[in-house]
Each structure stands twice: as structure tokens, then as C-alpha cells.
């Protein structure tokens, strides 16, 4: 138990990973579209899972598998060829591309969309030039967003990286007779395993999402020699990943048993309904972040009307991120959750800001004095003992979270840790009490443990709130 109080910084770091390599693929938004709320969950959860694995001693490789290839780009090119205007594109690239796409998402464009995608697959220069241009615009935007959210990747490896490799793979699948011809296309029949059929080559010879995913998995195994690979992707693709892993198994890749689909549920709107993805009415991360920052500003102003401008902005941003990340991560990832910025941003209850606030409270105590190396131990008050016990649970909590790939376990622990601290502080005076040296050490180790927990969730703490 005293470990919790004496070994401050690295307390709870585990070596169960033994340096094993784990690839975590997450976020993976689609290029030429705004970053929608649909990919936010994967971003938040995948990032936290990576942190937990790293903290428990694994070597983690974080991959962002961009959706930057496929028929939808054929559609975009077809739409742009038909009615695109360069000046409009340059003015507001992503929104403009989105508009073009919505327009081209129509039967009338099917034929030319297919042609344009075929041209991309065949390496046609004009098609690729446009595609690159569109991708460049989006990437700039995505990277800004990740920077704001403090999310980092080791590699961006999009679907487009696997165009050629997917073609080679197709040959192998045909030769091994795993793929069969059906109505001009090639399919893999998994009916026997209750997993339906998977189309892996279209009748015009172009590749599909699944073909590229198969090629990507094989390539990653070759390059990274991972012990495990985790795909943090929504529940809608549950069957899809089962099919993928099965096919790799049929190809004799025995490492396919080390592939995991860590799925997640949906975000629901305030009325408990699925966020609309109807044409043109997607919910964008940008808007949600702006809304949450505005709410956070109101809360901060209520408590501290004199805060300076730059600090105010910084605090609002961090509070908003904590609100959104925690609002998500406190739930089991497989559950659907109601996305409610107003609730998330509240400083009371089971929220990110409440936890940040508790941390800042501890910081302000520490700042008033200095923590001594040595402290006197005596009979503890109930609330002190509870807090000591809570802190000492941290390593078990991390272990449990690691085994279940469950950030929620860390999040729920953080909340109850903060609660314990607040209860302790309510009944025990720290500065000026006879037990000052011990209590300061306790506050300090609470502070460090909470900071570590939040870090595992991808949330930065604030010294002042
Ligand atoms: N870009 C895809 C989508 O938005 C998600 C990619 C998931 N990862 C994968 N390896 N298939 O649906």
C-alpha cells in the first residue's frame, strides 16, 4: 500500500507486455470527407487502448488506415469532371468535395464513377493527380484535428497503399482456389462457416475494401512481425472482420488467431436516435468541438471571471477535450452512448471536468507548501484509509483494463478515485494539521495517480480550473 504513496511517478507501470509488439489500428477516417462523429469513437478508444498497452509494457504501433481508395473516389472524380470548378474547390476544399460527392451519389453517375475508379486502379495519370489533390486537402484538415486532440500515429497507411498488393493477392487466392468465379466477379464462399460470401474482385477487375484489407494485414505482419493486431472499428463491421480473419486462416496464416476486432457501439443523439448520416446532414467533429468549447467557456467564466485570455482559451480547449473523451470512455465501448455535450461538460457528477477539477484542487494544496520526503504515519481516519486503498488499486485496474481492452475500467476508477479524494478533503484538514506531512504525501500521490489515469485515457490535466 505504501508503494502508492512513495513511488510517485511510475507507480503502477506493469511489465506484462514484455515488449511484445501490438499493432493498434484506429481512427481510419475517409478521405475527401469531413471528419465525422462516426470516426471520433474509434479515435478516442483506439488512442486509449494504445496508451494502456504501452503502459503495461507492450511495444505499440499505432496505424491510421485511411479510407483513401475505392469506388467512392471514382464517384468523386466523375462528379468533379462533370461540374467541378477549381476556384470553388480552392476556397473551401472539403465542403466543396462533399457537395460534389453528394451530387454524384446518384444512379446517373454509376457508369462514369466505375470508369474513373478503374482508371485510378490502372494508374491513369490524370485520375491519380486529381485524387492526390483531393487527398492532400483532407489530410491537412485531419492533421490539424489530431493535433488539437493530441492524438499521434506512428504511421498513416491508407487503403491506397494496397492497390498493387491487392492485385497480387487476388492471383494467389485464385490459384489456391480459395476464390471462385461467380457472375464475372470473384468471391470467397464462407457459407459453410455461417459467414456468408465475400466479393474480392469486381467483374471489371477492380479491387474491393476486403481485398485491400487482406493485403494490408499480410503486409503488416511481414513488416512489423506483430504478436497481436487490434482493429478499433465500429460494430457495423463485426461480420466483416470475422470474414477477414477467417479468410486469412484459410490462406494458412496462423497468426490470424492473433487478430482482434475491438468493436464499439454508436453515438446516439440527445433523443436517443442514431446520428443521421443522410445525405449532407452528417455531424462533424469540428462543430461538436466548437459547441463543447463554448459550453466549457461558460462554466469556466462562472468560476473564475478574471482568467486571462490565453489561459482561458487553453483551459476551455482542454476542458472540452476532457469532457468529450471522458463522456465516451466512461461507457463500455460496446454500448451505444448518448452524445450530450451539455452533460459531458458539467463540472458536477461523473464527468471529465469534475475529475480535472479534483486534480486542480489537489494541485492548489500542493502549491501552497512543499511536500516533504519523510512523513509520519499514525492511525488513519476512515476517509484517509479509503483514499490510500483506492490509490493502491491502480496497478490492478490497469491490468484489468489491459486484459479487457477496456478504457472504461480506467475511467470509472478515475471517477471513484476523485470522489475518494474529495471526501477525504471534506473531512481532513491538510495544511496546518498535525498530520500535515502525511496528508501532503497522500494528496501528492493521489494527484500523480489521477494524472496517470487520465493520461491513459488521452486526457491532459489542468493545474488550475
Ligand atoms: N475507413 C473505414 C470506414 O470508415 C474504416 C476502416 C476500418 N479498418 C479496416 N482495416 N477496415 O468504414
Amino acid at each position: 500500500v505504501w508503494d502508492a504513496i512513495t513511488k510517485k511517478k511510475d507507480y503502477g507501470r506493469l511489465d506484462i507486455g514484455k515488449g511484445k509488439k501490438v499493432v493498434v489500428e484506429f481512427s481510419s477516417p475517409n478521405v475527401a470527407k469531413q471528419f465525422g462523429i462516426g470516426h471520433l469513437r474509434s479515435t478516442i478508444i483506439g488512442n486509449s487502448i494504445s496508451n494502456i498497452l504501452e503502459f503495461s509494457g507492450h511495444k505499440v504501433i499505432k496505424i491510421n488506415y485511411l479510407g483513401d481508395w475505392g469506388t467512392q473516389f471514382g464517384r468523386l472524380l466523375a462528379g468533379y469532371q462533370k461540374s467541378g470548378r477549381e476556384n470553388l474547390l480552392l476556397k473551401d476544399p472539403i465542403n466543396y468535395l462533399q457537395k460534389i460527392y453528394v451530387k454524384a451519389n446518384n444512379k446517373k453517375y454509376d457508369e462514369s464513377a466505375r470508369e474513373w475508379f478503374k482508371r485510378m486502379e490502372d494508374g491513369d495519370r490524370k485520375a491519380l493527380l486529381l485524387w492526390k489533390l483531393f487527398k492532400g486537402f483532407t489530410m491537412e484538415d485531419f492533421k490539424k484535428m489530431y493535433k488539437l486532440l493530441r492524438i499521434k500515429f506512428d504511421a498513416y497507411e491508407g487503403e491506397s497503399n494496397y492497390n498493387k498488393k491487392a492485385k497480387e493477392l487476388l492471383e494467389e487466392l485464385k490459384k489456391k482456389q480459395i476464390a471462385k468465379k461467380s457472375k464475372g466477379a470473384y468471391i470467397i464462399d464462407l457459407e459453410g462457416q455461417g459467414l456468408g460470401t465475400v466479393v474480392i474482385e469486381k467483374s471489371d477487375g477492380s479491387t474491393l475494401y476486403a481485398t485491400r484489407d487482406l493485403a494490408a494485414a499480410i503486409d503488416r505482419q511481414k513488416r512489423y512481425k506483430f504478436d497481436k493486431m487490434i482493429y478499433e472499428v465500429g460494430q457495423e463491421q463485426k461480420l466483416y472482420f470475422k470474414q477477414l480473419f477467417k479468410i486469412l486462416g484459410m490462406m494458412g496464416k496462423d497468426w490470424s488467431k492473433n487478430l482482434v476486432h475491438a468493436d464499439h457501439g454508436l453515438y446516439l443523439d440527445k433523443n436517443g436516435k442514431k446520428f443521421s448520416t443522410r445525405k449532407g446532414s452528417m455531424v462533424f467533429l469540428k462543430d461538436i468541438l466548437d459547441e463543447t468549447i463554448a459550453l466549457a467557456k461558460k462554466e469556466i467564466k462562472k468560476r473564475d471571471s478574471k482568467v486571462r485570455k490565453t489561459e482561458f482559451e487553453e483551459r476551455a480547449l482542454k476542458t472540452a477535450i476532457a469532457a468529450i473523451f471522458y463522456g465516451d470512455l466512461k461507457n463500455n465501448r460496446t454500448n451505444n452512448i448518448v452524445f450530450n455535450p451539455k452533460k459531458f461538460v458539467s463540472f458536477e457528477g461523473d464527468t471529465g471536468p469534475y475529475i480535472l477539477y479534483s486534480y486542480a484542487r489537489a494541485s492548489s494544496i500542493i502549491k501552497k507548501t512543499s511536500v516533504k520526503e519523510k512523513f509520519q504515519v499514525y492511525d488513519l481516519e476512515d476517509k484517509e484509509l479509503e483514499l490510500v486503498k483506492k490509490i493502491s488499486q491502480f496497478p490492478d485496474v490497469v491490468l484489468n483494463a489491459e486484459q479487457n481492452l477496456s478504457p472504461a475500467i480506467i475511467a470509472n476508477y478515475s471517477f471513484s478515485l476523485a470522489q475518494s479524494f474529495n471526501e477525504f478533503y471534506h473531512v481532513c484538514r491538510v495544511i496546518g494539521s498535525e498530520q500535515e506531512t502525511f496528508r501532503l504525501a497522500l494528496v501528492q500521490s493521489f494527484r500523480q495517480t489521477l494524472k496517470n489515469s487520465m493520461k491513459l485515457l488521452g486526457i491532459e490535466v489542468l493545474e488550475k480550473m
Side-chain angles (χ1 to χ4, degrees), residues 25 27-30 39 65-68 159 209 213 216 220 231-234 236-237 240-241 244:
E25 186 218 278
S27 199
S28 311
N30 298 321
H39 292 97
Y65 185 61
L66 298 163
D68 62 356
E159 290 183 45
Y209 182 51
D213 244 330
R220 289 177 192 166
Y231 295 88
E232 212 307 340
V233 184
E236 321 76 77
Q237 300 194 31
Y240 171 76
F241 279 105
L244 212 62

Side-chain angles (χ1 to χ4, degrees), residues 295-305 312 348:
L295 289 167
K297 281 185 172 167
K298 260 196 219 153
E299 290 283 338
I300 294 167
K301 267 270 155 69
K302 254 199 268 172
R303 285 170 175 74
D304 184 356
S305 55
F312 182 48
E348 278 137 45

